[in-house]
Amino acid sequence: VMMTRMINILLPDSAGNRRFDISLLLSRLLFGLLFIMHGLTKINDFGQMALAFPDPLDVGSEISLILAIFGEVFCSVLLIFGLLTRLALIPMIFTMCIAFFVIHAGDPFSAKELSFIYLTTFIIIWVSGAGKYSLDYMIRVKLIKSLNQNKK
């Protein structure tokens, strides 16, 4: 029972609505690829950016930049493949919360609109899960099958 509950939290089932699953797949691909582009830009300009990158967590500009790159590149790859999607989205959501509510707090909405779009999209995918066309779904099916066989 506890294992099934954990599977349902980490690897939710989208109840087989094909259009919904395709929409989740396209959202994961589109926003994952777009978000990766931000991270790759940071990697390419790392030396220059590390000197003046915002440090809202007070861990140093370089560490803040590394954490942003982790969320934007590594976690985006997980999102694209739908692997550990909900866990991968946590740093991505956190990064966009920091961008929207801290870094751009005093800016007009037009300056923070992109971070808001990413934030809301990532929250929607986090709530929905990765969908049927994901590695999460494949893992879920195998785990449920294994649990059901062990009950017999």
Side-chain angles (χ1 to χ4, degrees), residues 53-68 90-91 94-99 102-103:
F53 195 76
D55 183 23
L57 303 176
D58 200 29
V59 295
S61 291
E62 189 170 329
I63 299 295
S64 291
L65 179 57
I66 290 168
L67 291 172
I90 293 170
F94 182 79
T95 301
M96 289 301 95
C97 281
I98 294 294
V102 179
I103 305 301

Side-chain angles (χ1 to χ4, degrees), residues 108-146:
F109 186 76
S110 60
K112 53 186 172 183
E113 183 177 7
L114 186 58
S115 59
F116 182 74
I117 291 169
Y118 279 121
L119 176 61
T120 55
T121 301
F122 295 156
I123 290 171
I124 290 167
I125 296 171
W126 187 84
V127 169
S128 303
K132 186 175 183 179
Y133 306 110
S134 68
L135 293 175
D136 283 352
Y137 182 81
M138 292 168 48
I139 293 167
R140 176 190 170 79
V141 167
K142 288 183 186 229
L143 287 173
I144 296 291
K145 184 184 271 188
S146 174

Side-chain angles (χ1 to χ4, degrees), residues 21-91:
D21 289 322
I22 290 171
S23 296
L24 283 170
L25 171 64
L26 293 175
S27 295
R28 286 192 350 258
L29 292 173
L30 174 67
F31 285 93
L33 289 170
L34 288 171
F35 211 52
I36 279 178
M37 299 309 292
H38 291 280
L40 293 177
T41 299
K42 287 176 177 69
I43 290 171
N44 289 336
D45 298 331
F46 186 86
Q48 187 67 29
M49 291 186 84
L51 301 173
F53 195 76
D55 183 23
L57 303 176
D58 200 29
V59 295
S61 291
E62 189 170 329
I63 299 295
S64 291
L65 179 57
I66 290 168
L67 291 172
I69 290 169
F70 172 79
E72 293 174 2
V73 176
F74 179 74
C75 293
S76 289
V77 170
L78 294 176
L79 176 65
I80 289 166
F81 287 102
L83 178 61
L84 302 174
T85 305
R86 283 189 164 166
L87 291 175
L89 282 165
I90 293 170

